[in-house]
Amino acid sequence: MRPSFQLQLVNDPFGDPALYVEFLFQKRALLFDLGDIHALSPRKLLRLSHVFVSHAHMDHFYGFDYLLRVCLGRARTVHLYGPSGFIERVEHKLRGYTWNLVENYEDELVFVVHEWDGGDRMARARFRCLKKFAGEPLSPAPVREGALLEEPGIKVRAAVLDHKTPCLAFALEETEHVNVWKNRLDELGLPTGPWLQELKQAILRGEGDDFPILVRWRDEAKQNVRRFRLGELKEHILRIVPGLKVGYVVDTLYGEENLRRLKALLHGVDCLYIEASFLQEAAEQAAQKYHLTAWQAGDIARQVGAKRVVPFHFSARHRHEPQRLMQEVAMGFGKPLSPREEVGG
Ligand SMILES: [Zn+2]
Ligand SMILES: [Zn+2]
């Protein structure tokens, strides 16, 4: 089943980490991390609705200014998410500029900034262009099972990792795909129509098998109504395919507690984007900097049961040996990486 979005690493594996997620059927995109994003065209940046920032180290956050520059003067609302202290970071960035003329703008740019500390709610604040980006506190939003964003079709969950500062790892989960077998519909003598959308929605909402579904239609002069149990329609006319699950893990210490959290977040992930900063011979430096080695990244991918792994965020000290980093990831993963994975995209 074709996923409803397309993934693109913005830079090469030595560049700043950023993963652009473009929806295929909507003019809309998500972004994981906000380092150097100049490789993204303004058209692509203007599609961003939600940006998830793992932590505010410069290589993950300095692109905020460029995003602001491109979006300024446009009627856009961009939701930003980050770890503890993130609202203050965004506020300081916005305060770095003079906003005395912004009341002349007709279209309003708004940032809604969320920060999550791992608990069951997240703090929020709004920054509106026409208010000169002065912070306005909003009521906290509930967070169920780490889900920072939940909407029909997708969910983004997070876990707080230890990078000597909180760093968020993310899982982007697509809701299951519900497809209709047209020939079986014909066999039952049922028409297509809006009721199929209602049926799909009932399934995506998680209704039980006894949930009633009414099918109404007119033929010739007659009005027909038939009543079904959701369970029987599911069995006879639908094909349900699990959605894609993508993991995004950067800067983190290889340790027991981080591993436990990653397993809970990323269990059975289809594709895992993970930092592979250092060669194993530099494991000591990696640990001192609370980063992963390539072997550790592969090992984590294996332990969470990832089907594919895409290593990135390589340290510049290994600029001339990306192949060795890839080999060590494959060793930790326990199987070779396919050529597509080797280009990091
Ligand atoms: Zn970092
Ligand atoms: Zn980093």
Side-chain angles (χ1 to χ4, degrees):
M1 182 71 211
R2 200 168 167 216
S4 55
F5 48 76
Q6 203 167 287
L7 303 158
Q8 178 201 349
L9 275 178
V10 176
N11 300 307
D12 74 49
F14 289 97
D16 286 355
L19 179 66
Y20 187 79
V21 180
E22 184 157 27
F23 289 85
L24 297 174
F25 310 111
Q26 308 169 42
K27 282 196 165 129
R28 180 191 166 198
L30 313 178
L31 185 66
F32 292 94
D33 269 341
L34 194 46
D36 182 356
I37 50 167
H38 284 84
L40 290 171
S41 65
R43 186 180 57 83
K44 285 196 159 184
L45 289 173
L46 287 168
R47 289 190 172 175
L48 290 174
S49 61
H50 297 76
V51 179
F52 300 86
V53 177
S54 61
H55 62 306
H57 278 159
M58 235 184 142
D59 52 332
H60 299 256
F61 189 44
Y62 109 105
F64 176 79
D65 290 49
Y66 184 58
L67 178 66
L68 171 63
R69 181 75 191 89
V70 170
C71 294
L72 194 62
R74 309 271 187 157
R76 300 284 310 154
T77 296
V78 182
H79 295 263
L80 298 163
Y81 298 79
S84 292
F86 187 60
I87 291 174
E88 201 188 340
R89 300 267 183 258
V90 174
E91 183 159 28
H92 282 295
K93 277 209 169 267
L94 290 166
R95 279 201 199 167
Y97 297 100
T98 303
W99 300 113
N100 64 316
L101 296 174
V102 285
E103 61 269 21
N104 297 330
Y105 285 122
E106 278 170 21
D107 292 320
E108 175 151 68
L109 171 63
V110 179
F111 291 109
V112 180
V113 187
H114 308 63
E115 70 176 49
W116 186 57
D117 64 2
D120 56 9
R121 42 186 35 211
M122 55 186 162
R124 298 187 304 162
R126 184 170 55 191
F127 298 87
R128 290 189 282 172
C129 177
L130 297 185
K131 298 269 177 194
K132 304 184 197 306
F133 292 110
E136 305 164 69
L138 299 177
S139 57
V143 177
R144 288 191 303 134
E145 294 169 2
L148 304 188
L149 173 66
E150 253 185 301
E151 57 179 54
I154 59 150
K155 194 192 274 190
V156 175
R157 290 192 305 125
V160 180
L161 303 178
D162 182 9
H163 174 45
K164 213 172 180 177
T165 181
C167 177
L168 300 181
F170 300 104
L172 166 62
E173 297 169 28
E174 194 185 20
T175 321
E176 54 202 358
H177 296 276
V178 182
N179 300 317
V180 178
W181 295 108
K182 177 73 173 64
N183 55 339
R184 302 215 183 138
L185 212 55
D186 296 342
E187 281 164 27
L188 289 172
L190 296 176
T192 55
W195 72 275
L196 285 171
Q197 268 317 316
E198 285 160 27
L199 170 64
K200 287 183 182 183
Q201 287 309 322
I203 288 178
L204 295 177
R205 281 199 310 272
E207 300 288 357
D209 282 352
D210 286 328
F211 187 80
I213 300 285
L214 283 181
V215 189
R216 293 173 211 272
W217 76 100
R218 265 194 95 75
D219 56 17
E220 280 131 39
K222 203 162 81 212
Q223 178 72 37
N224 300 281
V225 182
R226 279 175 74 182
R227 187 189 173 93
F228 291 92
R229 285 171 57 245
L230 186 131
E232 52 185 326
L233 290 174
K234 218 182 201 173
E235 192 185 324
H236 289 110
I237 64 162
L238 297 182
R239 189 167 66 108
I240 298 177
V241 184
L244 194 72
K245 180 169 175 178
V246 178
Y248 182 89
V249 177
V250 288
D251 309 20
T252 192
L253 179 73
Y254 184 71
E256 229 168 86
E257 180 57 21
N258 278 344
L259 208 53
R260 193 186 63 74
R261 293 180 184 203
L262 285 171
K263 279 184 189 167
L265 178 71
L266 300 172
H267 176 71
V269 75
D270 293 287
C271 181
L272 176 61
Y273 289 82
I274 186 164
E275 72 143 340
S277 290
F278 294 95
L279 286 169
Q280 197 60 21
E281 66 192 26
E284 217 168 289
Q285 285 97 319
Q288 272 166 15
K289 295 184 169 196
Y290 283 61
H291 271 283
L292 296 175
T293 66
W295 181 89
Q296 290 162 352
D299 183 56
I300 290 171
R302 183 183 59 78
Q303 291 207 45
V304 303
K307 296 187 185 77
R308 278 186 66 200
V309 54
V310 181
F312 71 129
H313 205 5
F314 296 170
S315 163
R317 65 185 277 161
H318 302 307
R319 170 60 71 188
H320 301 294
E321 36 197 0
Q323 286 311 321
R324 279 183 72 198
L325 286 162
M326 299 303 295
Q327 281 158 10
E328 290 196 354
V329 173
M331 275 167 59
F333 192 40
K335 46 186 171 181
L337 308 183
S338 70
R340 197 168 152 223
E341 287 150 9
E342 288 189 14
V343 295

